[in-house]
Amino acid sequence: MIADKRVITDDTLKRKVSIVGLNEGMTPGGFLQVQIEVLNQKNSMQNFSYRFEWFDMNGMLINTPTSVWIPRQIEGQETLSITAVAPTTTAKDFRVKFMENVRKD
Amino acid sequence: MKPNFYSILLPVSALLIFGGCATHTQYVETTGPRTIVTTDINIQDFSYAAEDMIKSLLASGALDKTQIQPAMLAISRIVNNTTQQIDTDLLIKKIRVALNQSGKALTTTTMGIGGIAEDPMAKGIQQEKEFYADKKEPQRMPNFTLSGKIIEKRDRQDDVRQVTYAFQLSLTNNDGLAVWEEEKQITKQGKRGVIGW
């Protein structure tokens, strides 16, 4: 399991879904690119949402229309790769938040 | 006077009856996880599609291959092939804003399908500037056009209803070649009792 302070998971979800990989790179155009691999430790399907936040070299949050909570499903014992690309080349760091779905519909 | 059972029953009943009819409205984050989910295209579906499209477009490097940076983009036809009346700007504007912020492309507002400018005043100013200029410089033409389609597909099995929305976009260069294409599908399921189709 990866322990990175930039990856934040709520306590309930942490018991079911864990982060098992984190890769960082740059696109040919100079955008920061992140890939996170998550594993469902349970046998049942899990629903969760995640959101990436991007920060410039001064640690200021970059406001972007693409920073949204995205719902995903992961089947039991399955791994899933989540990728994200920074909205600007000025984004030097990121933070990603995972949480269990708050809506049960 | 000591209140009896009936003197309390009346106001309590009224409170329950009319209080039950009161609506509870609150603000929710538009891009957050508490927005309403229906089988129609919801506001968050445009956000999910735009996020995926931008990620793919920026990672492709397609916009980096022009001589003059940032690239110039014109918006072509975005076809709504769903059963719903939707404003495709809910998708396209997010992409435009993100491209503008990325520094990789700027969108023209003086060119549109059929010669209709999105911003007629800007087009008028541009024409006037050209008229009064001593030497008329050739107008910069868009490097790319963005076109697309939103498609709806409905299926059902027993009492389960499923709807899929396919968001398709193509970026075409001025040689007429689609240099980037992407499709994002969003599928939702509901039961017959919940939805009216």
Side-chain angles (χ1 to χ4, degrees), chain A residues 29 31 51 63-66 68-71 83-88 99 102-103, chain B residues 29 31-36 47-48 51 54-55 58-59 64 94 97-98 101-102 104:
Chain A
F31 294 96
R51 174 157 86 170
N63 196 15
T64 166
T66 58
V68 294
W69 282 100
I70 297 174
T83 58
V85 175
T88 71
M99 73 169 173
V102 290
R103 293 187 72 92
Chain B
E29 200 187 340
T31 56
R34 293 182 190 272
T35 45
I36 292 167
S47 299
Y48 304 153
E51 193 268 347
I54 283 296
K55 187 169 67 181
L58 294 181
D64 300 327
K94 285 182 181 63
V97 170
Q101 285 182 351
S102 76
K104 294 291 178 183

PDB file of all heavy atoms in Angstrom, chain A residues 29 31 51 63-66 68-71 83-88 99 102-103, chain B residues 29 31-36 47-48 51 54-55 58-59 64 94 97-98 101-102 104:
ATOM      1  N   GLY A  29       3.629  17.765 -24.074  1.00  0.00           N
ATOM      2  CA  GLY A  29       3.360  19.203 -24.029  1.00  0.00           C
ATOM      3  C   GLY A  29       3.750  19.864 -22.719  1.00  0.00           C
ATOM      4  O   GLY A  29       3.540  21.066 -22.538  1.00  0.00           O
ATOM      5  N   PHE A  31       2.709  18.890 -19.514  1.00  0.00           N
ATOM      6  CA  PHE A  31       1.711  18.822 -18.442  1.00  0.00           C
ATOM      7  C   PHE A  31       2.051  17.673 -17.485  1.00  0.00           C
ATOM      8  O   PHE A  31       2.411  16.576 -17.938  1.00  0.00           O
ATOM      9  CB  PHE A  31       0.315  18.567 -19.026  1.00  0.00           C
ATOM     10  CG  PHE A  31      -0.207  19.696 -19.873  1.00  0.00           C
ATOM     11  CD1 PHE A  31      -0.055  19.669 -21.256  1.00  0.00           C
ATOM     12  CD2 PHE A  31      -0.843  20.783 -19.299  1.00  0.00           C
ATOM     13  CE1 PHE A  31      -0.524  20.696 -22.041  1.00  0.00           C
ATOM     14  CE2 PHE A  31      -1.323  21.819 -20.080  1.00  0.00           C
ATOM     15  CZ  PHE A  31      -1.159  21.782 -21.459  1.00  0.00           C
ATOM     16  N   ARG A  51     -11.350  13.261  -6.637  1.00  0.00           N
ATOM     17  CA  ARG A  51     -11.139  14.569  -7.269  1.00  0.00           C
ATOM     18  C   ARG A  51      -9.679  14.969  -7.167  1.00  0.00           C
ATOM     19  O   ARG A  51      -9.075  14.870  -6.104  1.00  0.00           O
ATOM     20  CB  ARG A  51     -11.998  15.641  -6.608  1.00  0.00           C
ATOM     21  CG  ARG A  51     -11.693  17.039  -7.145  1.00  0.00           C
ATOM     22  CD  ARG A  51     -12.802  18.013  -6.981  1.00  0.00           C
ATOM     23  NE  ARG A  51     -12.778  18.651  -5.686  1.00  0.00           N
ATOM     24  CZ  ARG A  51     -13.547  19.692  -5.386  1.00  0.00           C
ATOM     25  NH1 ARG A  51     -14.392  20.171  -6.277  1.00  0.00           N
ATOM     26  NH2 ARG A  51     -13.498  20.232  -4.211  1.00  0.00           N
ATOM     27  N   ASN A  63      -7.545  26.956 -10.147  1.00  0.00           N
ATOM     28  CA  ASN A  63      -8.978  26.770 -10.350  1.00  0.00           C
ATOM     29  C   ASN A  63      -9.229  26.310 -11.791  1.00  0.00           C
ATOM     30  O   ASN A  63      -8.805  26.966 -12.727  1.00  0.00           O
ATOM     31  CB  ASN A  63      -9.703  28.094 -10.085  1.00  0.00           C
ATOM     32  CG  ASN A  63     -11.178  27.897  -9.892  1.00  0.00           C
ATOM     33  OD1 ASN A  63     -11.636  26.777  -9.683  1.00  0.00           O
ATOM     34  ND2 ASN A  63     -11.918  28.971  -9.958  1.00  0.00           N
ATOM     35  N   THR A  64      -9.875  25.196 -11.943  1.00  0.00           N
ATOM     36  CA  THR A  64     -10.098  24.673 -13.289  1.00  0.00           C
ATOM     37  C   THR A  64     -11.482  24.030 -13.384  1.00  0.00           C
ATOM     38  O   THR A  64     -11.945  23.428 -12.408  1.00  0.00           O
ATOM     39  CB  THR A  64      -9.008  23.630 -13.658  1.00  0.00           C
ATOM     40  OG1 THR A  64      -9.415  22.908 -14.816  1.00  0.00           O
ATOM     41  CG2 THR A  64      -8.765  22.636 -12.539  1.00  0.00           C
ATOM     42  N   PRO A  65     -12.134  24.157 -14.543  1.00  0.00           N
ATOM     43  CA  PRO A  65     -13.465  23.540 -14.687  1.00  0.00           C
ATOM     44  C   PRO A  65     -13.409  22.012 -14.701  1.00  0.00           C
ATOM     45  O   PRO A  65     -14.436  21.361 -14.612  1.00  0.00           O
ATOM     46  CB  PRO A  65     -13.971  24.076 -16.026  1.00  0.00           C
ATOM     47  CG  PRO A  65     -12.758  24.489 -16.772  1.00  0.00           C
ATOM     48  CD  PRO A  65     -11.750  24.889 -15.763  1.00  0.00           C
ATOM     49  N   THR A  66     -12.223  21.469 -14.807  1.00  0.00           N
ATOM     50  CA  THR A  66     -12.129  20.009 -14.876  1.00  0.00           C
ATOM     51  C   THR A  66     -11.857  19.374 -13.509  1.00  0.00           C
ATOM     52  O   THR A  66     -11.706  18.164 -13.414  1.00  0.00           O
ATOM     53  CB  THR A  66     -11.017  19.586 -15.857  1.00  0.00           C
ATOM     54  OG1 THR A  66      -9.790  20.165 -15.416  1.00  0.00           O
ATOM     55  CG2 THR A  66     -11.309  20.019 -17.258  1.00  0.00           C
ATOM     56  N   VAL A  68     -13.422  18.079 -10.793  1.00  0.00           N
ATOM     57  CA  VAL A  68     -14.768  17.650 -10.378  1.00  0.00           C
ATOM     58  C   VAL A  68     -14.675  16.313  -9.635  1.00  0.00           C
ATOM     59  O   VAL A  68     -13.728  15.550  -9.820  1.00  0.00           O
ATOM     60  CB  VAL A  68     -15.709  17.484 -11.605  1.00  0.00           C
ATOM     61  CG1 VAL A  68     -15.956  18.806 -12.269  1.00  0.00           C
ATOM     62  CG2 VAL A  68     -15.159  16.493 -12.617  1.00  0.00           C
ATOM     63  N   TRP A  69     -15.671  16.056  -8.797  1.00  0.00           N
ATOM     64  CA  TRP A  69     -15.759  14.757  -8.141  1.00  0.00           C
ATOM     65  C   TRP A  69     -16.246  13.750  -9.169  1.00  0.00           C
ATOM     66  O   TRP A  69     -17.325  13.930  -9.742  1.00  0.00           O
ATOM     67  CB  TRP A  69     -16.723  14.799  -6.959  1.00  0.00           C
ATOM     68  CG  TRP A  69     -16.129  15.423  -5.744  1.00  0.00           C
ATOM     69  CD1 TRP A  69     -16.324  16.701  -5.307  1.00  0.00           C
ATOM     70  CD2 TRP A  69     -15.239  14.807  -4.807  1.00  0.00           C
ATOM     71  NE1 TRP A  69     -15.602  16.907  -4.151  1.00  0.00           N
ATOM     72  CE2 TRP A  69     -14.940  15.771  -3.816  1.00  0.00           C
ATOM     73  CE3 TRP A  69     -14.665  13.536  -4.703  1.00  0.00           C
ATOM     74  CZ2 TRP A  69     -14.085  15.500  -2.750  1.00  0.00           C
ATOM     75  CZ3 TRP A  69     -13.824  13.273  -3.634  1.00  0.00           C
ATOM     76  CH2 TRP A  69     -13.536  14.236  -2.670  1.00  0.00           C
ATOM     77  N   ILE A  70     -15.467  12.734  -9.404  1.00  0.00           N
ATOM     78  CA  ILE A  70     -15.817  11.761 -10.435  1.00  0.00           C
ATOM     79  C   ILE A  70     -16.162  10.427  -9.773  1.00  0.00           C
ATOM     80  O   ILE A  70     -15.343   9.870  -9.043  1.00  0.00           O
ATOM     81  CB  ILE A  70     -14.659  11.592 -11.435  1.00  0.00           C
ATOM     82  CG1 ILE A  70     -14.445  12.930 -12.141  1.00  0.00           C
ATOM     83  CG2 ILE A  70     -14.941  10.484 -12.436  1.00  0.00           C
ATOM     84  CD1 ILE A  70     -13.270  12.983 -13.039  1.00  0.00           C
ATOM     85  N   PRO A  71     -17.383   9.928 -10.019  1.00  0.00           N
ATOM     86  CA  PRO A  71     -17.757   8.645  -9.403  1.00  0.00           C
ATOM     87  C   PRO A  71     -17.181   7.472 -10.194  1.00  0.00           C
ATOM     88  O   PRO A  71     -17.135   7.505 -11.427  1.00  0.00           O
ATOM     89  CB  PRO A  71     -19.290   8.658  -9.486  1.00  0.00           C
ATOM     90  CG  PRO A  71     -19.597   9.524 -10.646  1.00  0.00           C
ATOM     91  CD  PRO A  71     -18.470  10.496 -10.814  1.00  0.00           C
ATOM     92  N   THR A  83      -6.285   8.017 -14.094  1.00  0.00           N
ATOM     93  CA  THR A  83      -5.280   8.935 -14.630  1.00  0.00           C
ATOM     94  C   THR A  83      -5.805  10.370 -14.601  1.00  0.00           C
ATOM     95  O   THR A  83      -7.011  10.592 -14.657  1.00  0.00           O
ATOM     96  CB  THR A  83      -4.897   8.586 -16.083  1.00  0.00           C
ATOM     97  OG1 THR A  83      -6.076   8.628 -16.883  1.00  0.00           O
ATOM     98  CG2 THR A  83      -4.257   7.229 -16.188  1.00  0.00           C
ATOM     99  N   ALA A  84      -4.894  11.290 -14.528  1.00  0.00           N
ATOM    100  CA  ALA A  84      -5.264  12.706 -14.556  1.00  0.00           C
ATOM    101  C   ALA A  84      -4.135  13.488 -15.202  1.00  0.00           C
ATOM    102  O   ALA A  84      -2.958  13.099 -15.106  1.00  0.00           O
ATOM    103  CB  ALA A  84      -5.520  13.221 -13.156  1.00  0.00           C
ATOM    104  N   VAL A  85      -4.508  14.571 -15.877  1.00  0.00           N
ATOM    105  CA  VAL A  85      -3.525  15.453 -16.504  1.00  0.00           C
ATOM    106  C   VAL A  85      -3.758  16.856 -15.965  1.00  0.00           C
ATOM    107  O   VAL A  85      -4.910  17.314 -15.884  1.00  0.00           O
ATOM    108  CB  VAL A  85      -3.672  15.436 -18.049  1.00  0.00           C
ATOM    109  CG1 VAL A  85      -2.735  16.442 -18.698  1.00  0.00           C
ATOM    110  CG2 VAL A  85      -3.399  14.048 -18.600  1.00  0.00           C
ATOM    111  N   ALA A  86      -2.690  17.516 -15.575  1.00  0.00           N
ATOM    112  CA  ALA A  86      -2.802  18.866 -15.013  1.00  0.00           C
ATOM    113  C   ALA A  86      -3.418  19.812 -16.038  1.00  0.00           C
ATOM    114  O   ALA A  86      -3.203  19.655 -17.242  1.00  0.00           O
ATOM    115  CB  ALA A  86      -1.418  19.359 -14.609  1.00  0.00           C
ATOM    116  N   PRO A  87      -4.167  20.802 -15.583  1.00  0.00           N
ATOM    117  CA  PRO A  87      -4.841  21.706 -16.527  1.00  0.00           C
ATOM    118  C   PRO A  87      -3.910  22.711 -17.182  1.00  0.00           C
ATOM    119  O   PRO A  87      -4.222  23.247 -18.243  1.00  0.00           O
ATOM    120  CB  PRO A  87      -5.885  22.414 -15.662  1.00  0.00           C
ATOM    121  CG  PRO A  87      -5.325  22.371 -14.278  1.00  0.00           C
ATOM    122  CD  PRO A  87      -4.554  21.099 -14.189  1.00  0.00           C
ATOM    123  N   THR A  88      -2.775  22.997 -16.552  1.00  0.00           N
ATOM    124  CA  THR A  88      -1.805  23.933 -17.138  1.00  0.00           C
ATOM    125  C   THR A  88      -0.393  23.404 -16.895  1.00  0.00           C
ATOM    126  O   THR A  88      -0.178  22.565 -16.008  1.00  0.00           O
ATOM    127  CB  THR A  88      -1.890  25.353 -16.498  1.00  0.00           C
ATOM    128  OG1 THR A  88      -1.373  25.269 -15.179  1.00  0.00           O
ATOM    129  CG2 THR A  88      -3.309  25.881 -16.446  1.00  0.00           C
ATOM    130  N   MET A  99     -13.262   9.427  -1.696  1.00  0.00           N
ATOM    131  CA  MET A  99     -14.262   9.237  -0.638  1.00  0.00           C
ATOM    132  C   MET A  99     -15.363   8.290  -1.107  1.00  0.00           C
ATOM    133  O   MET A  99     -15.618   8.165  -2.312  1.00  0.00           O
ATOM    134  CB  MET A  99     -14.835  10.562  -0.167  1.00  0.00           C
ATOM    135  CG  MET A  99     -15.773  11.235  -1.109  1.00  0.00           C
ATOM    136  SD  MET A  99     -16.554  12.584  -0.200  1.00  0.00           S
ATOM    137  CE  MET A  99     -17.427  13.352  -1.528  1.00  0.00           C
ATOM    138  N   VAL A 102     -21.486   9.508  -1.298  1.00  0.00           N
ATOM    139  CA  VAL A 102     -22.395  10.011  -0.266  1.00  0.00           C
ATOM    140  C   VAL A 102     -23.857   9.766  -0.640  1.00  0.00           C
ATOM    141  O   VAL A 102     -24.718   9.741   0.204  1.00  0.00           O
ATOM    142  CB  VAL A 102     -22.175  11.520   0.009  1.00  0.00           C
ATOM    143  CG1 VAL A 102     -20.860  11.739   0.699  1.00  0.00           C
ATOM    144  CG2 VAL A 102     -22.263  12.328  -1.276  1.00  0.00           C
ATOM    145  N   ARG A 103     -24.114   9.573  -1.932  1.00  0.00           N
ATOM    146  CA  ARG A 103     -25.481   9.280  -2.380  1.00  0.00           C
ATOM    147  C   ARG A 103     -25.607   7.779  -2.566  1.00  0.00           C
ATOM    148  O   ARG A 103     -24.735   7.141  -3.137  1.00  0.00           O
ATOM    149  CB  ARG A 103     -25.787   9.981  -3.702  1.00  0.00           C
ATOM    150  CG  ARG A 103     -25.848  11.467  -3.591  1.00  0.00           C
ATOM    151  CD  ARG A 103     -26.322  12.054  -4.894  1.00  0.00           C
ATOM    152  NE  ARG A 103     -27.737  11.770  -5.075  1.00  0.00           N
ATOM    153  CZ  ARG A 103     -28.704  12.595  -4.687  1.00  0.00           C
ATOM    154  NH1 ARG A 103     -28.408  13.738  -4.119  1.00  0.00           N
ATOM    155  NH2 ARG A 103     -29.947  12.307  -4.885  1.00  0.00           N
TER     156      ARG A 103
ATOM    157  N   GLU B  29     -22.683  21.700  -4.124  1.00  0.00           N
ATOM    158  CA  GLU B  29     -21.590  22.007  -5.050  1.00  0.00           C
ATOM    159  C   GLU B  29     -21.925  21.400  -6.414  1.00  0.00           C
ATOM    160  O   GLU B  29     -22.223  20.197  -6.492  1.00  0.00           O
ATOM    161  CB  GLU B  29     -20.286  21.409  -4.502  1.00  0.00           C
ATOM    162  CG  GLU B  29     -19.051  22.040  -5.078  1.00  0.00           C
ATOM    163  CD  GLU B  29     -17.781  21.326  -4.653  1.00  0.00           C
ATOM    164  OE1 GLU B  29     -17.814  20.612  -3.645  1.00  0.00           O
ATOM    165  OE2 GLU B  29     -16.778  21.481  -5.360  1.00  0.00           O
ATOM    166  N   THR B  31     -20.163  20.600  -8.911  1.00  0.00           N
ATOM    167  CA  THR B  31     -19.281  19.521  -9.337  1.00  0.00           C
ATOM    168  C   THR B  31     -19.075  18.499  -8.224  1.00  0.00           C
ATOM    169  O   THR B  31     -18.153  17.689  -8.288  1.00  0.00           O
ATOM    170  CB  THR B  31     -17.920  20.093  -9.766  1.00  0.00           C
ATOM    171  OG1 THR B  31     -17.405  20.857  -8.661  1.00  0.00           O
ATOM    172  CG2 THR B  31     -18.030  20.965 -10.981  1.00  0.00           C
ATOM    173  N   GLY B  32     -19.918  18.572  -7.202  1.00  0.00           N
ATOM    174  CA  GLY B  32     -19.751  17.709  -6.038  1.00  0.00           C
ATOM    175  C   GLY B  32     -20.534  16.409  -6.133  1.00  0.00           C
ATOM    176  O   GLY B  32     -21.307  16.202  -7.065  1.00  0.00           O
ATOM    177  N   PRO B  33     -20.367  15.558  -5.125  1.00  0.00           N
ATOM    178  CA  PRO B  33     -21.010  14.242  -5.167  1.00  0.00           C
ATOM    179  C   PRO B  33     -22.460  14.228  -4.683  1.00  0.00           C
ATOM    180  O   PRO B  33     -23.075  13.178  -4.651  1.00  0.00           O
ATOM    181  CB  PRO B  33     -20.118  13.413  -4.243  1.00  0.00           C
ATOM    182  CG  PRO B  33     -19.536  14.390  -3.299  1.00  0.00           C
ATOM    183  CD  PRO B  33     -19.470  15.709  -3.979  1.00  0.00           C
ATOM    184  N   ARG B  34     -23.001  15.388  -4.276  1.00  0.00           N
ATOM    185  CA  ARG B  34     -24.363  15.407  -3.739  1.00  0.00           C
ATOM    186  C   ARG B  34     -25.396  15.889  -4.739  1.00  0.00           C
ATOM    187  O   ARG B  34     -26.549  16.131  -4.388  1.00  0.00           O
ATOM    188  CB  ARG B  34     -24.415  16.277  -2.477  1.00  0.00           C
ATOM    189  CG  ARG B  34     -23.633  15.679  -1.331  1.00  0.00           C
ATOM    190  CD  ARG B  34     -23.713  16.496  -0.065  1.00  0.00           C
ATOM    191  NE  ARG B  34     -22.771  15.993   0.918  1.00  0.00           N
ATOM    192  CZ  ARG B  34     -23.040  15.027   1.788  1.00  0.00           C
ATOM    193  NH1 ARG B  34     -24.219  14.470   1.792  1.00  0.00           N
ATOM    194  NH2 ARG B  34     -22.124  14.610   2.653  1.00  0.00           N
ATOM    195  N   THR B  35     -25.001  16.075  -5.983  1.00  0.00           N
ATOM    196  CA  THR B  35     -25.958  16.510  -7.001  1.00  0.00           C
ATOM    197  C   THR B  35     -26.931  15.370  -7.323  1.00  0.00           C
ATOM    198  O   THR B  35     -26.615  14.191  -7.126  1.00  0.00           O
ATOM    199  CB  THR B  35     -25.221  16.937  -8.284  1.00  0.00           C
ATOM    200  OG1 THR B  35     -24.222  15.963  -8.566  1.00  0.00           O
ATOM    201  CG2 THR B  35     -24.577  18.288  -8.149  1.00  0.00           C
ATOM    202  N   ILE B  36     -28.099  15.752  -7.822  1.00  0.00           N
ATOM    203  CA  ILE B  36     -29.138  14.760  -8.117  1.00  0.00           C
ATOM    204  C   ILE B  36     -28.731  13.919  -9.336  1.00  0.00           C
ATOM    205  O   ILE B  36     -28.191  14.452 -10.312  1.00  0.00           O
ATOM    206  CB  ILE B  36     -30.472  15.484  -8.412  1.00  0.00           C
ATOM    207  CG1 ILE B  36     -30.987  16.154  -7.138  1.00  0.00           C
ATOM    208  CG2 ILE B  36     -31.509  14.534  -8.976  1.00  0.00           C
ATOM    209  CD1 ILE B  36     -32.104  17.134  -7.389  1.00  0.00           C
ATOM    210  N   SER B  47     -19.720  17.694 -16.915  1.00  0.00           N
ATOM    211  CA  SER B  47     -18.425  17.887 -16.238  1.00  0.00           C
ATOM    212  C   SER B  47     -17.541  16.652 -16.390  1.00  0.00           C
ATOM    213  O   SER B  47     -16.345  16.768 -16.662  1.00  0.00           O
ATOM    214  CB  SER B  47     -18.632  18.171 -14.748  1.00  0.00           C
ATOM    215  OG  SER B  47     -19.379  19.338 -14.572  1.00  0.00           O
ATOM    216  N   TYR B  48     -18.138  15.453 -16.224  1.00  0.00           N
ATOM    217  CA  TYR B  48     -17.347  14.220 -16.356  1.00  0.00           C
ATOM    218  C   TYR B  48     -16.812  14.091 -17.784  1.00  0.00           C
ATOM    219  O   TYR B  48     -15.660  13.738 -17.992  1.00  0.00           O
ATOM    220  CB  TYR B  48     -18.181  12.972 -16.039  1.00  0.00           C
ATOM    221  CG  TYR B  48     -18.838  12.949 -14.688  1.00  0.00           C
ATOM    222  CD1 TYR B  48     -19.998  12.217 -14.476  1.00  0.00           C
ATOM    223  CD2 TYR B  48     -18.299  13.658 -13.623  1.00  0.00           C
ATOM    224  CE1 TYR B  48     -20.618  12.198 -13.227  1.00  0.00           C
ATOM    225  CE2 TYR B  48     -18.917  13.649 -12.380  1.00  0.00           C
ATOM    226  CZ  TYR B  48     -20.070  12.914 -12.185  1.00  0.00           C
ATOM    227  OH  TYR B  48     -20.688  12.897 -10.971  1.00  0.00           O
ATOM    228  N   GLU B  51     -14.069  16.710 -18.475  1.00  0.00           N
ATOM    229  CA  GLU B  51     -12.828  16.362 -17.775  1.00  0.00           C
ATOM    230  C   GLU B  51     -12.048  15.306 -18.565  1.00  0.00           C
ATOM    231  O   GLU B  51     -10.848  15.415 -18.748  1.00  0.00           O
ATOM    232  CB  GLU B  51     -13.172  15.841 -16.370  1.00  0.00           C
ATOM    233  CG  GLU B  51     -11.997  15.733 -15.419  1.00  0.00           C
ATOM    234  CD  GLU B  51     -11.325  14.378 -15.423  1.00  0.00           C
ATOM    235  OE1 GLU B  51     -11.891  13.410 -15.986  1.00  0.00           O
ATOM    236  OE2 GLU B  51     -10.220  14.267 -14.896  1.00  0.00           O
ATOM    237  N   ILE B  54     -10.709  16.851 -21.999  1.00  0.00           N
ATOM    238  CA  ILE B  54      -9.563  17.749 -21.819  1.00  0.00           C
ATOM    239  C   ILE B  54      -8.298  16.958 -21.484  1.00  0.00           C
ATOM    240  O   ILE B  54      -7.226  17.204 -22.032  1.00  0.00           O
ATOM    241  CB  ILE B  54      -9.878  18.770 -20.692  1.00  0.00           C
ATOM    242  CG1 ILE B  54     -10.824  19.843 -21.230  1.00  0.00           C
ATOM    243  CG2 ILE B  54      -8.629  19.423 -20.131  1.00  0.00           C
ATOM    244  CD1 ILE B  54     -10.236  20.691 -22.332  1.00  0.00           C
ATOM    245  N   LYS B  55      -8.474  15.990 -20.606  1.00  0.00           N
ATOM    246  CA  LYS B  55      -7.335  15.132 -20.215  1.00  0.00           C
ATOM    247  C   LYS B  55      -6.736  14.464 -21.448  1.00  0.00           C
ATOM    248  O   LYS B  55      -5.520  14.456 -21.648  1.00  0.00           O
ATOM    249  CB  LYS B  55      -7.863  14.089 -19.228  1.00  0.00           C
ATOM    250  CG  LYS B  55      -6.839  13.214 -18.589  1.00  0.00           C
ATOM    251  CD  LYS B  55      -7.453  12.419 -17.443  1.00  0.00           C
ATOM    252  CE  LYS B  55      -8.466  11.399 -17.924  1.00  0.00           C
ATOM    253  NZ  LYS B  55      -9.091  10.647 -16.819  1.00  0.00           N
ATOM    254  N   LEU B  58      -5.133  17.238 -23.990  1.00  0.00           N
ATOM    255  CA  LEU B  58      -3.855  17.798 -23.551  1.00  0.00           C
ATOM    256  C   LEU B  58      -2.748  16.749 -23.585  1.00  0.00           C
ATOM    257  O   LEU B  58      -1.615  17.041 -23.951  1.00  0.00           O
ATOM    258  CB  LEU B  58      -3.984  18.392 -22.140  1.00  0.00           C
ATOM    259  CG  LEU B  58      -4.892  19.622 -22.000  1.00  0.00           C
ATOM    260  CD1 LEU B  58      -4.905  20.114 -20.569  1.00  0.00           C
ATOM    261  CD2 LEU B  58      -4.467  20.752 -22.939  1.00  0.00           C
ATOM    262  N   ALA B  59      -3.091  15.517 -23.209  1.00  0.00           N
ATOM    263  CA  ALA B  59      -2.085  14.449 -23.206  1.00  0.00           C
ATOM    264  C   ALA B  59      -1.669  14.059 -24.620  1.00  0.00           C
ATOM    265  O   ALA B  59      -0.541  13.611 -24.835  1.00  0.00           O
ATOM    266  CB  ALA B  59      -2.618  13.233 -22.469  1.00  0.00           C
ATOM    267  N   ASP B  64      -0.007  21.031 -29.928  1.00  0.00           N
ATOM    268  CA  ASP B  64       1.365  21.548 -29.893  1.00  0.00           C
ATOM    269  C   ASP B  64       2.009  21.617 -31.276  1.00  0.00           C
ATOM    270  O   ASP B  64       3.107  22.134 -31.413  1.00  0.00           O
ATOM    271  CB  ASP B  64       2.240  20.651 -28.996  1.00  0.00           C
ATOM    272  CG  ASP B  64       1.718  20.599 -27.575  1.00  0.00           C
ATOM    273  OD1 ASP B  64       1.173  21.615 -27.120  1.00  0.00           O
ATOM    274  OD2 ASP B  64       1.843  19.543 -26.935  1.00  0.00           O
ATOM    275  N   LYS B  94     -16.857  24.381 -21.147  1.00  0.00           N
ATOM    276  CA  LYS B  94     -15.884  23.867 -20.173  1.00  0.00           C
ATOM    277  C   LYS B  94     -14.571  23.532 -20.880  1.00  0.00           C
ATOM    278  O   LYS B  94     -13.492  23.790 -20.367  1.00  0.00           O
ATOM    279  CB  LYS B  94     -16.429  22.614 -19.489  1.00  0.00           C
ATOM    280  CG  LYS B  94     -17.488  22.896 -18.453  1.00  0.00           C
ATOM    281  CD  LYS B  94     -17.933  21.610 -17.788  1.00  0.00           C
ATOM    282  CE  LYS B  94     -19.020  21.870 -16.770  1.00  0.00           C
ATOM    283  NZ  LYS B  94     -20.254  22.423 -17.368  1.00  0.00           N
ATOM    284  N   VAL B  97     -12.828  26.829 -21.863  1.00  0.00           N
ATOM    285  CA  VAL B  97     -12.206  27.473 -20.694  1.00  0.00           C
ATOM    286  C   VAL B  97     -10.925  26.735 -20.309  1.00  0.00           C
ATOM    287  O   VAL B  97      -9.878  27.351 -20.072  1.00  0.00           O
ATOM    288  CB  VAL B  97     -13.200  27.508 -19.500  1.00  0.00           C
ATOM    289  CG1 VAL B  97     -12.510  27.948 -18.221  1.00  0.00           C
ATOM    290  CG2 VAL B  97     -14.366  28.440 -19.801  1.00  0.00           C
ATOM    291  N   ALA B  98     -10.994  25.418 -20.306  1.00  0.00           N
ATOM    292  CA  ALA B  98      -9.824  24.627 -19.924  1.00  0.00           C
ATOM    293  C   ALA B  98      -8.693  24.802 -20.940  1.00  0.00           C
ATOM    294  O   ALA B  98      -7.519  24.911 -20.550  1.00  0.00           O
ATOM    295  CB  ALA B  98     -10.214  23.156 -19.797  1.00  0.00           C
ATOM    296  N   GLN B 101      -7.147  28.200 -20.370  1.00  0.00           N
ATOM    297  CA  GLN B 101      -6.293  28.179 -19.182  1.00  0.00           C
ATOM    298  C   GLN B 101      -4.991  27.421 -19.426  1.00  0.00           C
ATOM    299  O   GLN B 101      -3.961  27.756 -18.860  1.00  0.00           O
ATOM    300  CB  GLN B 101      -7.026  27.515 -18.015  1.00  0.00           C
ATOM    301  CG  GLN B 101      -8.099  28.389 -17.381  1.00  0.00           C
ATOM    302  CD  GLN B 101      -8.772  27.719 -16.200  1.00  0.00           C
ATOM    303  OE1 GLN B 101      -8.573  26.539 -15.943  1.00  0.00           O
ATOM    304  NE2 GLN B 101      -9.588  28.464 -15.495  1.00  0.00           N
ATOM    305  N   SER B 102      -5.071  26.413 -20.264  1.00  0.00           N
ATOM    306  CA  SER B 102      -3.879  25.589 -20.521  1.00  0.00           C
ATOM    307  C   SER B 102      -2.818  26.349 -21.313  1.00  0.00           C
ATOM    308  O   SER B 102      -1.655  25.974 -21.306  1.00  0.00           O
ATOM    309  CB  SER B 102      -4.269  24.329 -21.293  1.00  0.00           C
ATOM    310  OG  SER B 102      -4.511  24.632 -22.653  1.00  0.00           O
ATOM    311  N   LYS B 104      -2.709  26.417 -24.484  1.00  0.00           N
ATOM    312  CA  LYS B 104      -2.435  25.671 -25.710  1.00  0.00           C
ATOM    313  C   LYS B 104      -3.314  26.092 -26.883  1.00  0.00           C
ATOM    314  O   LYS B 104      -2.970  25.850 -28.036  1.00  0.00           O
ATOM    315  CB  LYS B 104      -2.624  24.162 -25.462  1.00  0.00           C
ATOM    316  CG  LYS B 104      -1.617  23.578 -24.499  1.00  0.00           C
ATOM    317  CD  LYS B 104      -0.234  23.545 -25.101  1.00  0.00           C
ATOM    318  CE  LYS B 104       0.789  23.015 -24.126  1.00  0.00           C
ATOM    319  NZ  LYS B 104       2.157  23.043 -24.688  1.00  0.00           N
TER     320      LYS B 104
END
